[in-house]
Amino acid sequence: MHVSLRKIELEEREILANLLEKYDYEFSQYDNRDVNKLGLYGYQYLDCYWWEDENRWAYFIEVDSKLAGFIMINDYPEAADRKTDFVISEFFVMYKYRRMGIGEKALFTALDLHRGTWHLKRHPKNENSVYFWNNAINEYTNGKYEMIESYPNTEYDDGTLADVFFFDNI
């Protein structure tokens, strides 16, 4: 099984928008977000990845050249009081490809493409995510990271404070 990342081009914007709807639907069980009048969640920062901001990167995760998910990176800190070079803003692996090491391989590839200081936010109610991020960040950094639970000013739509990882890979 070959896992790779491919930069998402502007003409593939709609594909990413479709996957973001699946991602947001799944995540709504944790943050209790509602759909809009069109029955969509919408992703308000989507166009920023091509037109508005220089420091945003979006990649499709592919397995044997088949679409398996996405990873989106920017430079907007999750914790405003701490410096960062990169943040994983969104990360999604479709069910079919979970628990096979694909997410971890994709994550490690993305991290290797962007060297610097990182923040990573997770919702503590998403137990599968908690397990994934704990293991993946620990393995990638060889245990050299800081994780602060319920970090101030990092509320999700449901009011839950995020747990935030801090690490670097310079």
Side-chain angles (χ1 to χ4, degrees):
M1 207 172 341
H2 177 70
V3 178
S4 61
L5 295 185
R6 184 171 56 78
K7 187 175 181 205
I8 302 173
E9 301 298 333
L10 176 59
E11 58 270 11
E12 299 172 305
R13 178 194 178 284
E14 187 174 349
I15 299 167
L16 179 58
N18 292 340
L19 289 176
L20 278 160
E21 286 297 316
K22 292 164 181 55
Y23 165 77
D24 283 336
Y25 171 73
E26 181 179 330
F27 201 80
S28 71
Q29 68 186 302
Y30 308 111
D31 71 0
N32 294 320
R33 216 168 58 149
D34 289 312
V35 294
N36 63 25
K37 292 178 181 180
L38 298 173
L40 301 171
Y41 291 96
Y43 188 76
Q44 71 183 57
Y45 305 109
L46 184 59
D47 288 336
C48 296
Y49 281 83
W50 293 279
W51 291 304
E52 297 176 23
D53 294 331
E54 182 179 317
N55 293 329
R56 290 184 188 256
W57 303 268
Y59 302 96
F60 284 133
I61 300 168
E62 295 182 333
V63 175
D64 297 330
S65 300
K66 293 181 181 148
L67 192 55
F70 61 82
I71 184 166
M72 298 168 74
I73 298 169
N74 66 49
D75 67 348
Y76 293 92
E78 297 293 357
D81 60 333
R82 295 183 72 165
K83 179 194 173 302
T84 190
D85 297 313
F86 304 105
V87 171
I88 294 177
S89 55
E90 314 301 340
F91 183 83
F92 179 64
V93 176
M94 290 188 275
Y95 281 117
K96 174 182 177 178
Y97 298 103
R98 292 183 187 173
R99 299 185 187 266
M100 301 167 65
I102 290 164
E104 190 172 85
K105 286 179 187 175
L107 172 65
F108 290 4
T109 300
L111 293 173
D112 287 345
L113 287 171
H114 301 275
R115 296 288 180 169
T117 303
W118 285 84
H119 293 188
L120 188 141
K121 181 172 93 170
R122 69 165 189 215
H123 198 300
K125 292 178 187 174
N126 183 345
E127 293 176 10
N128 290 330
S129 169
V130 167
Y131 178 81
F132 172 80
W133 291 116
N134 283 355
N135 290 316
I137 298 303
N138 186 59
E139 183 175 333
Y140 184 81
T141 66
N142 292 314
K144 294 178 181 151
Y145 66 90
E146 178 182 12
M147 196 277 290
I148 299 176
E149 295 180 353
S150 301
Y151 202 92
N153 302 313
T154 60
E155 295 87 6
Y156 284 95
D157 287 340
D158 69 339
T160 301
L161 290 173
D163 300 336
V164 182
F165 287 92
F166 302 94
F167 62 95
D168 69 57
N169 64 352
I170 297 170

